Amino acid sequence: MQRDTQIFGLIKEELDRQRRGLELIASENLTSLQVMQAMGNVMTNKYAEGYPGKRYYGGCEVVDKSEQLAIDRAKAIFNVNYVNVQPHSGAQANTAVQFAVLQHGDVILGLDLSMGGHLTHGSPVTFSGKAYQAHHYGVRKEDGRVDYDALEAKALEVKPKLIICGASAYSRDWDYARIRAAADKVGALVLADIAHPAGLIAAGLLNSPFDHCHFVTSTTHKTLRGPRGGIIMMKNDFENPWGLKGPKGDIRMMSQLLDLSVFPGLQGGPLEHVIAAKAVSFFEILQDEYKAYARQMQSNAQAMATAFLEKGYDIVSGGTDNHLLLIDLRNKNISGKKAENALVQADITLNKNMVPFDDKSPFVTSGIRVGVPAITTRGMKESDMSLIVNWLDRVLMSPEDAQVVAAVKGEVNEYMRGFALYPEMD
Ligand SMILES: *Cc1c(COP(=O)(O)O)cnc(C)c1O
């Protein structure tokens, strides 16, 4: 067959872009070569509807073993008893938990999108906000931290069936025990969505949700540094509290309901090639080097926070516990949109982001979100962070000065040459 030079040309272009640029998008990372090699493999040819040992197709004996390895490794990483590695994405994982335990019209309670929450936690533009009656809690204006008292008051008022914690743009750790205590007062289940900080939790650097939350979901491609995908976990299986019925009208354990919710509830055949790559990334997380990586992410984020504060930037909550920072640019007279657009001209990628109590629209925003997972993978250390903040500051202070932007771009490109990315691909 003729080689598709167009697409392979674009893949090479994307590799060059990733090599020369400073990647500060908090939800992105750079997988190892072996994770990518595992993803592009013959398992993409295999139909495997069902679960290991219980498939609807023949010839699944090999993919059964690799999916089981992925499950067993995830169990070892997080010390949990139930794992489903089939969700195609983090959004699918969240939807699957909701679909397993909620009926249409049920009440859910999640962190407000504009305060750092995720779309799938009840935003009206998503399935979660259309199928369920969504209510939200927020952060305190004084310190930018989750207001657990207000969360509890809201729970007592609206009586949710499911409380969702976790966020996409929140730099502080979570008090899962506090949330569970509030949930128990109204008989709600708790879902912790650790899509962002999962890697820091895996390394034991942040509070663990598993003893307090009934369900834990995550992406596999953010701090976990695996292929794009989702995962659902439970520390302990339990009988479903509302007598939810399986397809045959029988009362099921929660693990069975979750499995049924992913397949056949929401998805068809699993992506066994991606599941193989998830297994490879879990293998890497089980090595000692990964713990060092996670610690480095945390120190880099803290060093970056210090550098921003020294330049007079306003960090929401004043700092960070994890791998990201949310910066309120209102005292710098530049919108998030303008900042994002100017920085990308200098080969620095990050995203505009709403800040709590933002007075600008989601298309403009008053803030930016800055994350260190990808640059930490490139090999950057604390001492590199002030250099990075200097580049950002120069562009943000003169976003329309083409000379400044071009100068920063040149310095960034030159600097990134010192941090090889996929040298094997040359
Ligand atoms: C990124 C993210 C997701 C969604 O992940 P996708 O793989 O993009 O669907 C879900 N929840 C949170 C909190 C996230 O940050």
Side-chain angles (χ1 to χ4, degrees):
M1 214 174 302
Q2 214 183 326
R3 177 88 172 162
D4 181 349
T5 51
Q6 263 181 308
I7 281 294
F8 285 100
L10 289 172
I11 291 172
K12 177 66 174 61
E13 237 179 85
E14 174 63 11
L15 172 62
D16 292 341
R17 188 193 69 83
Q18 292 185 12
R19 280 178 169 167
R20 71 169 185 267
L22 189 58
E23 185 51 75
L24 298 175
I25 295 176
S27 49
E28 290 193 12
N29 209 332
L30 304 157
T31 73
S32 69
L33 192 66
Q34 65 173 348
V35 164
M36 277 189 284
Q37 284 165 339
M39 214 177 336
N41 85 71
V42 294
M43 289 176 185
T44 191
N45 298 331
K46 189 73 203 94
Y47 244 113
E49 283 178 353
Y51 291 94
K54 295 166 286 189
R55 305 283 192 183
Y56 291 85
Y57 288 85
C60 290
E61 56 277 5
V62 181
V63 293
D64 272 7
K65 284 188 230 171
S66 83
E67 184 168 340
Q68 194 58 50
L69 259 181
I71 293 167
D72 292 342
R73 287 172 180 171
K75 283 182 179 173
I77 291 167
F78 292 104
N79 187 26
V80 294
N81 294 308
Y82 168 83
V83 176
N84 188 313
V85 294
Q86 292 192 3
H88 300 333
S89 72
Q92 298 279 85
N94 286 343
T95 305
V97 172
Q98 294 162 2
F99 190 53
V101 300
L102 300 171
Q103 308 293 323
H104 267 62
D106 276 353
V107 175
I108 62 174
L109 178 60
L111 179 62
D112 201 291
L113 183 64
S114 69
M115 305 244 178
H118 191 258
L119 286 159
T120 54
H121 300 182
S123 159
V125 301
T126 70
F127 178 82
S128 63
K130 290 189 199 296
Y132 312 116
Q133 234 189 95
H135 294 270
H136 293 98
Y137 56 90
V139 300
R140 285 186 299 242
K141 202 162 191 172
E142 314 88 78
D143 61 3
R145 292 177 189 243
V146 168
D147 188 338
Y148 294 102
D149 293 333
L151 183 161
E152 179 166 319
K154 194 79 177 176
L156 290 169
E157 178 198 330
V158 303
K159 306 255 181 323
K161 272 196 154 178
L162 183 68
I163 297 178
I164 306 172
C165 57
S168 297
Y170 184 63
S171 64
R172 294 302 180 176
D173 203 356
W174 287 79
D175 188 346
Y176 301 107
R178 176 80 179 82
I179 293 171
R180 174 60 181 269
D184 282 346
K185 288 191 182 172
V186 295
L189 294 172
V190 182
L191 162 61
D193 175 357
I194 60 169
H196 263 269
L200 298 169
I201 292 168
L205 300 171
L206 292 174
N207 293 334
S208 169
F210 294 99
D211 284 322
H212 307 292
C213 304
H214 302 86
F215 313 104
V216 178
T217 54
S218 181
T219 56
T220 47
H221 49 274
K222 297 180 183 173
T223 51
L224 290 179
R225 210 162 53 174
R228 308 198 77 76
I231 181 174
I232 306 172
M233 297 171 278
M234 288 192 297
K235 173 118 186 201
N236 297 308
D237 198 0
F238 56 101
E239 279 183 53
N240 68 73
W242 305 305
L244 299 165
K245 305 229 175 23
K248 292 180 188 138
D250 50 340
I251 309 276
R252 298 292 183 105
M253 293 295 283
M254 205 48 91
S255 58
Q256 297 170 305
L257 285 177
L258 288 174
D259 281 350
L260 287 168
S261 180
V262 174
F263 169 81
L266 293 169
Q267 296 185 174
L271 310 177
E272 289 297 341
H273 55 306
V274 176
I275 291 172
K278 285 176 182 174
V280 173
S281 63
F282 297 158
F283 169 84
E284 293 177 350
I285 293 167
L286 287 165
Q287 313 305 310
D288 288 339
E289 296 98 294
Y290 184 83
K291 268 203 181 63
Y293 166 67
R295 273 196 296 270
Q296 190 66 55
M297 270 195 284
Q298 211 175 26
S299 328
N300 282 351
Q302 279 160 15
M304 191 179 261
T306 305
F308 271 115
L309 290 171
E310 277 167 5
K311 291 203 174 294
Y313 283 86
D314 180 7
I315 301 176
V316 174
S317 87
T320 179
D321 298 326
N322 55 29
H323 60 291
L324 65 84
L325 305 172
L326 186 57
I327 297 178
D328 187 335
L329 292 170
R330 282 179 285 197
N331 68 340
K332 298 287 185 182
N333 283 319
I334 179 170
S335 70
K337 180 182 178 182
K338 198 164 182 182
E340 179 188 305
N341 289 338
L343 287 165
V344 83
Q345 303 300 316
D347 282 345
I348 299 173
T349 36
L350 48 64
N351 62 290
K352 63 178 180 285
N353 214 101
M354 300 278 277
V355 296
F357 310 97
D358 208 324
D359 46 10
K360 296 193 185 77
S361 82
F363 303 103
V364 180
T365 81
S366 296
I368 49 174
R369 187 182 65 159
V370 190
V372 300
I375 55 171
T376 306
T377 297
R378 288 293 288 266
M380 294 191 179
K381 301 281 189 300
E382 293 85 341
S383 54
D384 298 303
M385 298 303 122
S386 50
L387 207 65
I388 291 172
V389 170
N390 262 317
W391 285 323
L392 286 161
D393 183 54
R394 276 162 65 195
V395 173
L396 296 177
M397 289 302 96
S398 316
E400 271 146 29
D401 188 329
Q403 262 176 320
V404 170
V405 173
V408 170
K409 176 181 156 76
E411 288 172 43
V412 166
N413 294 160
E414 177 57 30
Y415 200 67
M416 295 317 290
R417 271 195 271 280
F419 299 90
L421 182 64
Y422 308 128
E424 306 88 341
M425 287 183 179
D426 286 323

